[in-house]
Amino acid sequence: MVEIEDSIYKEIKSILEQARNKVYKVANSTMVQAYWNIGRVIVEKQGGNNKAEYGAALIKNLSKKMTKEFGKGFTVANLKNMGQFYLTFQKVTHCVTN
């Protein structure tokens, strides 16, 4: 009886581990898409003014607002990195926007 119980437990454990791994992968992929799209919006709305005072002020203000609403992770440096992420991979829109 114990062997059957152990076998059932191991099978259920495997199902749960596979499901969790799938959820992690989907969540990570979704967040990568979100960060790429955040970078896209920032870069496109700046219209190439990302090195001007306007760009710096925009990023700083966005950082304050986003951190207040969404928590840490939206520092000035992170928002700049999202913009750079978009610029680096802007030709892969078919993978990111779907």
Side-chain angles (χ1 to χ4, degrees):
M1 187 70 162
V2 172
E3 290 178 18
I4 294 173
E5 186 177 309
D6 286 347
S7 174
I8 293 170
Y9 173 80
K10 287 178 183 177
E11 189 170 347
I12 292 170
K13 179 181 175 184
S14 175
I15 291 167
L16 289 173
E17 287 174 341
Q18 289 174 21
R20 285 180 178 169
N21 286 335
K22 188 172 184 178
V23 167
Y24 294 143
K25 288 177 184 177
V26 169
N28 285 338
S29 175
T30 301
M31 291 311 298
V32 167
Q33 291 175 11
Y35 295 148
W36 185 90
N37 278 302
I38 290 167
R40 177 185 55 79
V41 169
I42 291 169
V43 168
E44 288 177 355
K45 297 299 179 184
Q46 286 181 342
N49 295 323
N50 56 343
K51 296 194 182 202
E53 283 184 38
Y54 167 77
L58 173 70
I59 297 285
K60 186 176 178 181
N61 291 335
L62 282 173
S63 176
K64 286 180 185 178
K65 288 179 181 180
M66 293 175 73
T67 299
K68 185 176 180 180
E69 186 163 349
F70 298 104
K72 63 182 182 178
F74 296 99
T75 63
V76 169
N78 281 349
L79 291 176
K80 286 180 180 179
N81 286 338
M82 290 176 202
Q84 187 58 50
F85 179 53
Y86 165 74
L87 289 171
T88 302
F89 296 102
Q90 61 185 317
K91 299 201 186 288
V92 294
T93 57
H94 63 281
C95 297
V96 180
T97 56
N98 291 335

